[in-house]
Amino acid sequence: MSEIEQTRAAPGLQRIFLRHKIEEELLGNILPFWMYRVVDRPRGGFYGAVTRDLRSLNEVPRVALICAQILWIFAAAYRTYRRPEYLEMAGRAFRYLRLAFWDEEYGGIFWTVDMWGRPLDTRKTTVAQAMAVYGLAEHHSATGDPNSLQLAKEIFQLIEASIYNPLCNGYSEGSNRTWHVPVWEDERYTSNYGYLSMPTLLHLLEAYTNLLRIWDDSLLRERQRAMIENILTRGINPATGHLRLSFDTTWRPLTGNISYGHDSISSWLLVEAAAVQGNRDLQARVREAALGLASAVYKDGLDPDGGVRPVTNSVERSWWAQAETLIAMYTAFQLSGEACFAEAAANIWFYIEDHFIDRVHGDWFKSLALDGTPLPDRYKVGIYEQAYQHPRACMELLRRMR
């Protein structure tokens, strides 16, 4: 047996081995890729798309999600490692988000801009606003910059004034540029999920949780608590143990699809969100729900080779589902002490090492066929090939292992 095979077969050595390998991957592969392969130095900002063989495609629109995620990644990395190059990258992302994506006339974050920073798609999607808040809050945590906190507060207030619906205590998928016409009422835009969606709710939850860590506002605290309650009481299907994904305005479920990736992210995000609330009764309820979701993924979503399918009957595997399930399994191990979850986390990491990490061009492949081979037509960076799930998984695992 090789040294790696011996380590994989010895549970007592796995934690030390995994911590070393995960940090090596984060610092030696993922972060350098985003620093050196994605930055458009002549024009500013970040390329709209980068192919698997590192061709930069400036004709592809630049999406706000990527910029906000890069802001979060390097602010979080700087907060841990205090390396000046990470601070410089976080500052670059903050400036580009503010200069290119911020709507000076109506407020909020545009969905896409062109290579020169001119607005293309001016709708105010909830996901883009949430991701901006998430990154801005992290930037303030890392640097103390009052400007990033102020911008996060402004976006929060716009979300609450225009996207929050008090009749259902939920959030729509977004609005048009002026914040007056909801996306689902504008014939140019269609929602993939319906009026209320679990993916959007989870993005808002991570954003509001991060903002609440640095700004203990009463309305923010109330809304973040309501999101937790909606997931616990409406989001989790008691018959299956999995999340429901889409709803009408009365929270009536619209589809029966299962997403193991969203099950996973909700399980560990709920734990983080309840911790910020500081309510022991809520934390106990969340612990039970988190273990239930993780158990459902462990039972139904893990393939024998260690890979995770993003949704039921998927014919491919995505990087983000591996990353989120990695955190979920290790969190479930911490909550329960059950070795099966630690073993599952280790197996997912070994699958990532064997199949997702691109050892030629850097970063991770974003989509694989079920046999573990990269799908040839997928970008390395793009609107749907995003930035933060895999570095976040590394940072979360390292934080937990410390």
Side-chain angles (χ1 to χ4, degrees):
M1 296 174 68
S2 69
E3 181 182 355
I4 291 177
E5 288 171 333
Q6 291 173 3
T7 305
R8 293 182 179 187
L13 298 176
Q14 277 190 1
R15 181 176 176 181
I16 297 172
F17 175 77
L18 286 175
R19 186 172 63 190
H20 170 73
K21 297 298 288 183
I22 290 169
E23 192 160 49
E24 183 182 71
E25 171 62 18
L26 174 68
L27 301 182
N29 182 32
I30 297 174
L31 297 184
F33 175 87
W34 290 90
M35 284 192 293
Y36 302 120
R37 299 297 188 183
V38 185
V39 175
D40 183 356
R41 299 189 186 279
R43 299 173 187 82
F46 310 98
Y47 295 121
V50 177
T51 64
R52 281 178 49 194
D53 58 354
L54 303 183
R55 288 181 296 114
S56 304
L57 304 181
N58 257 325
E59 66 272 19
V60 176
R62 302 179 176 197
V63 67
L65 292 183
I66 297 293
C67 184
Q69 289 167 359
I70 291 172
L71 173 60
W72 182 89
I73 291 168
F74 285 96
Y78 178 72
R79 196 151 62 93
T80 299
Y81 295 102
R82 312 308 290 184
R83 294 186 180 181
E85 61 267 33
Y86 298 162
L87 179 62
E88 193 278 330
M89 273 292 292
R92 176 185 291 272
F94 172 69
R95 292 188 296 272
Y96 196 65
L97 186 74
R98 181 65 181 80
L99 292 173
F101 288 99
W102 177 255
D103 185 343
E104 292 287 355
E105 185 172 359
Y106 296 104
I109 300 295
F110 295 129
W111 180 237
T112 61
V113 300
D114 67 11
M115 73 175 82
W116 304 109
R118 297 174 298 204
L120 292 175
D121 188 336
T122 61
R123 59 179 164 161
K124 306 297 171 54
T125 67
T126 306
V127 171
Q129 314 313 308
M131 193 56 62
V133 170
Y134 188 57
L136 290 164
E138 194 67 23
H139 186 256
H140 179 78
S141 294
T143 67
D145 188 336
N147 296 306
S148 50
L149 176 58
Q150 181 57 39
L151 197 60
K153 290 179 180 180
E154 289 183 38
I155 298 172
F156 164 74
Q157 290 157 359
L158 286 166
I159 292 171
E160 291 301 318
S162 303
I163 292 177
Y164 174 72
N165 186 339
L167 297 178
C168 62
N169 197 21
Y171 296 82
S172 74
E173 296 295 283
S175 76
N176 68 346
R177 180 181 179 182
T178 63
W179 299 96
H180 292 132
V181 181
V183 166
W184 60 92
E185 291 180 5
D186 191 322
E187 63 182 10
R188 293 175 299 165
Y189 309 129
T190 59
S191 170
N192 292 327
Y193 292 98
Y195 186 90
L196 302 168
S197 82
M198 188 55 59
T200 295
L201 177 57
L202 291 172
H203 281 300
L204 277 170
L205 179 62
E206 66 187 2
Y208 279 26
T209 296
N210 218 24
L211 185 57
L212 191 55
R213 290 186 175 116
I214 59 171
W215 180 46
D216 195 359
D217 175 76
S218 58
L219 179 61
L220 173 62
R221 178 170 287 275
E222 175 188 333
R223 294 288 195 260
Q224 194 254 17
R225 171 66 184 263
M227 292 178 194
I228 298 172
E229 294 290 348
N230 279 334
I231 295 171
L232 294 177
T233 60
R234 294 174 165 128
I236 300 173
N237 184 343
T240 66
H242 296 285
L243 281 183
R244 299 177 173 115
L245 295 180
S246 60
F247 310 84
D248 66 12
T249 56
T250 66
W251 288 96
R252 180 177 63 87
L254 297 179
T255 69
N257 294 337
I258 293 172
S259 170
Y260 304 121
H262 289 106
D263 288 346
S264 293
I265 187 176
S266 65
S267 70
W268 73 265
L269 272 182
L270 281 169
V271 174
E272 298 289 314
V276 176
Q277 283 286 330
N279 182 299
R280 290 187 178 181
D281 290 338
L282 179 64
Q283 287 174 302
R285 290 171 58 209
V286 161
R287 179 185 181 278
E288 181 180 358
L291 285 173
L293 286 161
S295 296
V297 174
Y298 181 86
K299 176 177 176 287
D300 302 328
L302 303 183
D303 286 336
D305 60 3
V308 182
R309 302 189 191 199
V311 296
T312 313
N313 299 322
S314 174
V315 297
E316 63 182 70
R317 291 172 177 152
S318 65
W319 93 103
W320 72 269
Q322 318 305 309
E324 301 296 1
T325 309
L326 180 65
I327 309 172
M329 292 297 109
Y330 199 84
T331 301
F333 165 65
Q334 290 185 304
L335 293 175
S336 68
E338 295 183 18
C340 63
F341 292 121
E343 181 181 1
N347 288 337
I348 293 168
W349 178 258
F350 296 142
Y351 185 84
I352 289 168
E353 279 199 317
D354 291 342
H355 299 285
F356 271 95
I357 295 174
D358 184 348
R359 303 189 186 281
V360 176
H361 295 117
D363 202 56
W364 292 13
F365 300 112
K366 297 303 168 60
S367 296
L368 307 180
L370 294 183
D371 64 2
T373 57
L375 295 176
D377 59 339
R378 304 302 170 85
Y379 293 150
K380 190 68 68 70
V381 178
I383 289 180
Y384 303 108
E385 295 80 18
Q386 295 170 22
Y388 81 127
Q389 288 93 344
H390 49 313
R392 179 170 73 174
C394 293
M395 285 187 258
E396 288 291 336
L397 263 290
L398 291 169
R399 180 169 67 87
R400 285 158 170 73
M401 287 178 175
R402 292 189 188 102

